[in-house]
Amino acid sequence: MPISVLQAIISIFVTLTQPNMLRTPRLFPLFFLLTSLSVMAQKKTVRTSFTDASISIDGTMEKVWETAEPATDFVMYQPDNGKLIAPEKKAIVRVLYNQEALYIFAELQDDQPDKILKEITQRDNIGVADMFGVFINGFNDGQQDFQFFVSASGVQMDRLATEDNEVAPDNFGQDFSWDAIWDSAVRLTSTGWNVEMKIPYAALRFSDAPIQTWGINFYRGVRRDRQHYTWNPIRFDEKLTRTQNGLLEGLQNLQPPTRLFFIPYTSFYHEQGPAGKDDRFKAGLDVKYGINESFTLDAILVPDFGQTKYDNLILNLSPYEQQFAENRPFFTEGTDLFSKGDLFYSRRIGAAPSFGYTTYDSATETLDQPATVNLLNAVKISGRTNHGLGIGVLNAVTEETHGTVTDIATGTKRSVVVEPLTNYNVLVLDQRFNQNSSVSLINTNVSRDGSFYDANVSAFLFNLNTKKNTYNLSGDFKYSYIESDYQGFKTALNLEKTSGQYRWSLFGKYISNNYDINDLGYITQTNYHNAYADASYRILNPTKWFNTFRVDVRSSVELQNNTGKPQDAFFNMSAQGNSVVNDYYYALLQLNPIETFDFYMPRSTGRFSYVPKSALAQLIFSSNYNRPFALDVNVVGRKYDEERRLTYAWNFSPRYRVNDKLMLIYSFEYSRDLSDRGYVGNTDTDILYAERDIKTIVSQLSAKYALNNKMTLNLSARYYWSFSENRRLFTLGDDGYLDGTDFITGLDENFNVWNMDLNYSWWFAPGSQLSVLYRNNALDYTNIIRHRFNDNVRELFDDNLNNVFSVSVRYYIDYNSLRRRK
């Protein structure tokens, strides 16, 4: 669908949609039980006032704070939802503002101040520490919170909360990749601890109305008791949490200064390895510009990602490419709009060249090409209008990349284009309404120079919630088009009960054969339809044995479109919970009760191979991290309805917090696949499968030493070893079953990887960082199986070790500070 059509549709929609209105507050019952008070009330309101006084961010309550209205009476979110905070842990929060920023002061009382936990971590890392946070929604539309946290040790954390249940920062799976520039300070007192925060308007999004009401909530975490409190109560029996903020009133005539920031950087790299030595110097610039109060432009010129975290490579025996996490700051910060619809996989930009395989004959020639394509520049614009229309545009350009083809017989070389000059573009239009619902239009486009093909994907999404947030209806329609008339689509529909102790969902989707988003997205399977259902039960308040507990039952079946054969079918049941001493338990039992067929393992269109029935069981235990010594254990096993075929794995991860500054974490993972059956190659006439034994060992060590809350020394090391040893060889029949054939040697695989990063990081000023990194890594791949651990380590380090030393400095410059100095 052309971009102009998308824009026309959304323009009509916005015209028909009325401005968001505050949902009418509802008063919930108050329950008094002896000395306990359980409160679920209407939205609270706190009023701020303007100040022209100079506020020092030092954690000390200055006289100006006495003029601010206090926000009190925090209510527990977890584990005992609705219980009023105890008087000895009273929290008092005050808010002031001027034309530059919002100021927050929190007095957090504690009758046992010596027991306040305060581990020091790196920025955005959750440690064993008490926490204070503020959630801000400048549009008060219940859709996105800007969340800012400070630990009792003074460490900052921030995130954009767009998903459900993003309240407690230490809940599993939270995303802290977004970073804003703001100031904070902590002061420990004889009665608890204080937090003072200055959040510039540049870090927020809001309308240009003369009088504004924002959504706001305050959070307090008492780590030693694993208790989470909020100022405005949040019902645990409702899935949507962002609609349950309180209100901030009193903001008038906001005229924030120009939001223009420059972040120049310079880096030096010294690399030494098997290929020799190399010294490189790089310099570049990031620019952030506030187009208005609601929209921001981010640009990166001559980017440098040399210090991003290494990828966890594996021996990939599957038919799918390995998907990697994004570690480059530009593609992780403020990208919530671009993640809608799961059409944008940012690692496509600057990845390995895509067209090298088309440039040479592998039987008579070899190809030498760069490991990655250079990113020339990238820019993104994102924000939201007064009527709730979110607009996001991301554009990136990668350079034309060449490789060298060598004729094996003659040695003749020629240069070939392995990746053309390429433009990547993402457009997102997201209309919010009723404080809990949205519709979205998305378009991704990849345009390549010359005769190389272009690709385009368009999508329509909707996410609708009832007024009481009891039920949710969501779905999508996505259409992909690649030059040469290669078209496909995907559609899905989900109905879900989202509140109460008992919940359920019904889900269905259909994906056509030619649906392909992999030029800028990531998808592994197409050409099937799926039906899924689940039901769950959870406790809302602690019991004698558990603080939290839930049970889930799920069932799913996938059928291939052309043949109607099942490619996946399962029924499972899981139970999980935190005990009263805050140890975590998880158990899963899954049955795959019918024989299914794998349409991807053969690596050939129209072919498939059978997968026998199986049963799987998994147990997870994680002890309370508040203890200096804690332990994580994960055990899983699957038995197939086939002789000797068995998969099992276990992970053992102890951690020891020596003190608030030093933390050590070790992880050891061991897995075996006995009599696994999978693709190993082709002959001129047959597809070859092998019965193979697979063994994998992963050993990881991480250590953190914090000199203070701005300066840390971090170690991360990983050793990975995996081999696949073939026992028998088969040919794949047209019916999907295997027939024995003569054994062929040389198809085994043995893979070793080593990575180590030792990093010193110093945030010497807001937004400014000095980073020193020493990295060494090695990789070894062979068709010869080495069963002894020592042999693998020796071969890995003998000739393959690569060493990198780098220093990088980024300095944050506020245009307004330059103007004031002038």
Side-chain angles (χ1 to χ4, degrees):
M1 186 183 297
I3 293 177
S4 58
V5 176
L6 294 175
Q7 293 171 330
I9 293 174
I10 201 69
S11 297
I12 295 172
F13 180 84
V14 173
T15 302
L16 297 175
T17 304
Q18 296 299 316
N20 286 333
M21 301 294 291
L22 290 177
R23 187 176 61 179
T24 303
R26 300 187 61 196
L27 185 63
F28 297 96
L30 304 180
F31 298 98
F32 294 86
L33 295 175
L34 301 176
T35 58
S36 298
L37 178 65
S38 180
V39 181
M40 284 296 173
Q42 64 182 25
K43 286 178 179 286
K44 293 181 179 179
T45 299
V46 64
R47 190 165 189 86
T48 184
S49 56
F50 180 85
T51 181
D52 54 8
S54 177
I55 300 178
S56 300
I57 307 301
D58 55 11
T60 301
M61 187 169 175
E62 303 168 66
K63 192 173 183 60
V64 66
W65 286 112
E66 297 176 3
T67 65
E69 178 181 308
T72 60
D73 299 330
F74 278 51
V75 177
M76 192 181 296
Y77 173 66
Q78 282 181 315
D80 200 354
N81 187 240
K83 182 179 180 180
L84 191 65
I85 195 169
E88 61 268 20
K89 290 186 175 62
K90 185 176 181 180
I92 306 169
V93 184
R94 294 174 170 86
V95 184
L96 294 171
Y97 78 99
N98 58 22
Q99 293 296 355
E100 181 184 0
L102 198 70
Y103 297 84
I104 297 164
F105 189 91
E107 181 185 353
L108 308 171
Q109 298 178 9
D110 196 315
D111 61 332
Q112 297 178 300
D114 57 317
K115 292 186 177 180
I116 295 174
L117 296 174
K118 46 186 182 299
E119 181 190 359
I120 306 173
T121 66
Q122 198 170 16
R123 192 186 199 276
D124 286 332
N125 286 0
I126 304 300
V128 180
D130 281 27
M131 203 79 65
F132 173 79
V134 56
F135 309 163
I136 300 174
N137 185 324
F139 294 96
N140 191 32
D141 59 7
Q143 299 285 331
Q144 174 181 268
D145 287 348
F146 290 76
Q147 298 186 350
F148 304 86
F149 299 91
V150 183
S151 74
S153 58
V155 177
Q156 290 185 348
M157 288 145 279
D158 43 23
R159 69 181 178 198
L160 289 179
T162 58
E163 302 298 327
D164 302 317
N165 299 320
E166 290 188 316
V167 178
D170 56 350
N171 281 355
F172 178 76
Q174 305 297 317
D175 181 9
F176 286 90
S177 58
W178 176 73
D179 284 322
I181 309 301
W182 50 290
D183 199 8
S184 63
V186 165
R187 182 176 294 273
L188 299 174
T189 70
S190 60
T191 58
W193 61 295
N194 298 339
V195 181
E196 195 166 17
M197 306 166 73
K198 175 185 177 181
I199 303 175
Y201 298 128
L204 304 171
R205 302 290 181 274
F206 50 91
S207 73
D208 57 0
I211 299 177
Q212 301 194 27
T213 298
W214 290 3
I216 196 167
N217 214 341
F218 306 110
Y219 164 85
R220 181 182 184 182
V222 181
R223 178 70 193 205
R224 68 178 180 272
D225 298 324
R226 301 299 286 264
Q227 293 175 345
H228 308 281
Y229 298 89
T230 58
W231 165 65
N232 197 77
I234 296 179
R235 291 175 59 107
F236 191 63
D237 63 349
E238 287 190 16
K239 184 176 180 181
L240 293 179
T241 56
R242 298 181 307 281
T243 60
Q244 301 184 61
N245 286 340
L247 302 177
L248 176 67
E249 296 181 343
L251 296 165
Q252 298 184 36
N253 302 316
L254 293 181
Q255 296 178 347
T258 302
R259 294 190 294 134
L260 178 59
F261 311 100
F262 304 98
I263 309 176
Y265 75 85
T266 181
S267 302
F268 170 76
Y269 295 88
H270 171 76
E271 185 170 355
Q272 183 174 337
K277 297 181 180 181
D278 181 36
D279 292 326
R280 304 189 311 276
F281 176 82
K282 297 191 71 173
L285 177 69
D286 293 357
V287 179
K288 296 180 182 291
Y289 173 60
I291 300 172
N292 56 30
E293 294 85 352
S294 304
F295 286 86
T296 300
L297 179 148
D298 293 90
I300 183 169
L301 309 175
V302 196
D304 175 31
F305 301 124
Q307 290 196 343
T308 54
K309 187 180 184 297
Y310 56 79
D311 291 322
N312 291 335
L313 296 175
I314 63 171
L315 175 61
N316 187 8
L317 300 174
S318 78
Y320 319 116
E321 64 172 313
Q322 184 180 353
Q323 187 175 19
F324 296 109
E326 179 59 86
N327 298 312
R328 298 171 295 180
F330 179 84
F331 294 108
T332 61
E333 297 173 0
T335 56
D336 57 295
L337 270 176
F338 304 107
S339 65
K340 286 187 175 293
D342 294 324
L343 295 178
F344 179 46
Y345 175 42
S346 57
R347 289 296 296 264
R348 297 288 182 210
I349 302 173
S354 306
F355 298 95
Y357 72 97
T358 67
T359 63
Y360 75 111
D361 181 356
S362 59
T364 61
E365 297 175 313
T366 61
L367 171 66
D368 182 25
Q369 66 178 20
T372 58
V373 176
N374 285 334
L375 174 64
L376 296 178
N377 56 69
V379 62
K380 59 189 176 191
I381 300 173
S382 61
R384 195 167 293 275
T385 69
N386 295 349
H387 296 282
L389 174 62
I391 302 174
V393 178
L394 186 147
N395 188 268
V397 179
T398 57
E399 71 176 2
E400 181 176 280
T401 305
H402 293 259
T404 302
V405 172
T406 304
D407 188 289
I408 297 174
T410 65
T412 305
K413 299 180 183 294
R414 56 187 174 90
S415 178
V416 295
V417 176
V418 293
E419 186 73 27
L421 179 71
T422 305
N423 183 85
Y424 298 89
N425 189 78
V426 183
L427 170 67
V428 180
L429 304 172
D430 176 58
Q431 178 65 58
R432 299 171 177 171
F433 54 93
N434 294 342
Q435 289 203 344
N436 62 3
S437 301
S438 65
V439 294
S440 307
L441 292 172
I442 305 165
N443 181 266
T444 68
N445 183 271
V446 180
S447 299
R448 298 181 173 94
D449 188 37
S451 60
F452 297 88
Y453 74 86
D454 299 335
N456 190 84
V457 179
S458 296
F460 169 74
L461 317 174
F462 63 91
N463 187 356
L464 310 175
N465 290 279
T466 57
K467 185 176 181 180
K468 296 181 180 179
N469 292 320
T470 305
Y471 294 94
N472 171 269
L473 179 68
S474 60
D476 60 48
F477 180 83
K478 302 174 183 178
Y479 169 78
S480 66
Y481 174 79
I482 297 177
E483 274 189 333
S484 303
D485 203 32
Y486 190 81
Q487 306 174 56
F489 70 93
K490 178 255 181 184
T491 185
L493 187 66
N494 182 71
L495 176 63
E496 183 176 2
K497 183 178 184 293
T498 56
S499 66
Q501 287 184 287
Y502 296 92
R503 304 183 191 184
W504 52 262
S505 70
L506 299 172
F507 173 79
K509 68 178 173 182
Y510 181 94
I511 302 181
S512 71
N513 184 33
N514 293 334
Y515 180 68
D516 188 353
I517 64 171
N518 279 323
D519 287 273
L520 193 48
Y522 181 88
I523 191 171
T524 58
Q525 298 184 0
T526 60
N527 198 26
Y528 72 92
H529 51 285
N530 164 245
Y532 170 89
D534 69 37
S536 65
Y537 166 81
R538 71 209 63 211
I539 63 172
L540 303 180
N541 299 95
T543 67
K544 180 180 179 180
W545 301 102
F546 289 98
N547 284 334
T548 64
F549 182 79
R550 62 178 287 177
V551 176
D552 293 82
V553 178
R554 311 172 191 87
S555 182
S556 176
V557 62
E558 289 182 4
L559 302 178
Q560 205 265 352
N561 291 338
N562 297 340
T563 65
K565 291 182 178 295
Q567 65 178 32
D568 188 31
F570 69 80
F571 173 84
N572 69 36
M573 176 181 291
S574 66
Q576 59 183 306
N578 287 284
S579 69
V580 290
V581 293
N582 290 305
D583 293 328
Y584 174 77
Y585 298 87
Y586 175 87
L588 169 71
L589 179 64
Q590 176 170 306
L591 299 178
N592 296 77
I594 63 174
E595 186 177 79
T596 57
F597 294 86
D598 190 333
F599 289 82
Y600 311 95
M601 182 63 79
R603 276 82 156 173
S604 179
T605 303
R607 302 297 298 274
F608 51 85
S609 58
Y610 85 102
V611 179
K613 295 178 287 186
S614 66
L616 176 145
Q618 183 179 20
L619 295 173
I620 297 175
F621 169 77
S622 178
S623 65
N624 188 347
Y625 287 179
N626 284 359
R627 303 171 190 138
F629 178 82
L631 179 66
D632 293 312
V633 178
N634 185 349
V635 180
V636 61
R638 183 192 290 269
K639 180 66 179 75
Y640 292 88
D641 186 21
E642 193 169 69
E643 184 180 358
R644 199 177 167 267
R645 188 166 179 181
L646 172 70
T647 296
Y648 63 90
W650 55 270
N651 178 277
F652 173 82
S653 180
R655 58 174 59 209
Y656 182 57
R657 190 175 73 256
V658 181
N659 51 42
D660 286 339
K661 294 186 174 183
L662 180 60
M663 165 72 85
L664 303 171
I665 303 174
Y666 177 70
S667 174
F668 183 84
E669 180 180 338
Y670 179 88
S671 66
R672 293 297 303 269
D673 293 77
L674 301 176
S675 297
D676 175 74
R677 296 190 176 189
Y679 172 91
V680 291
N682 292 74
T683 67
D684 293 337
T685 58
D686 293 311
I687 297 174
L688 299 179
Y689 271 52
E691 179 182 294
R692 57 199 180 187
D693 290 345
I694 304 168
K695 178 180 177 180
T696 301
I697 291 176
V698 186
S699 181
Q700 300 183 84
L701 173 67
S702 63
K704 174 267 307 180
Y705 182 76
L707 286 81
N708 52 50
N709 58 23
K710 300 289 192 297
M711 194 181 301
T712 57
L713 188 65
N714 299 279
L715 171 69
S716 177
R718 175 180 182 262
Y719 172 69
Y720 174 94
W721 168 38
S722 183
F723 69 77
S724 173
E725 187 172 18
N726 300 323
R727 303 296 186 183
R728 291 194 293 168
L729 210 61
F730 305 89
T731 58
L732 178 65
D734 292 337
D735 59 358
Y737 294 90
L738 305 179
D739 299 312
T741 189
D742 295 335
F743 192 79
I744 301 175
T745 60
L747 299 179
D748 297 332
E749 298 184 76
N750 193 94
F751 184 58
N752 286 268
V753 177
W754 163 258
N755 292 99
M756 188 198 77
D757 282 3
L758 180 61
N759 172 260
Y760 167 80
S761 176
W762 176 29
W763 292 90
F764 58 89
S768 302
Q769 182 185 27
L770 167 68
S771 180
V772 181
L773 172 69
Y774 171 68
R775 166 177 292 169
N776 66 36
N777 55 75
L779 183 150
D780 176 61
Y781 174 84
T782 179
N783 295 119
I784 301 173
I785 301 296
R786 307 187 194 102
H787 291 96
R788 295 179 57 186
F789 178 82
N790 292 343
D791 293 339
N792 284 276
V793 173
R794 184 177 62 253
E795 290 293 333
L796 178 65
F797 289 111
D798 273 356
D799 302 310
N800 303 297
L801 195 61
N802 191 62
N803 297 275
V804 179
F805 176 79
S806 62
V807 180
S808 179
V809 179
R810 296 167 57 87
Y811 189 70
Y812 175 82
I813 302 173
D814 184 346
Y815 163 78
N816 295 289
S817 64
L818 295 178
R819 187 172 62 177
R820 285 193 294 267
R821 291 175 185 174
K822 182 178 179 180

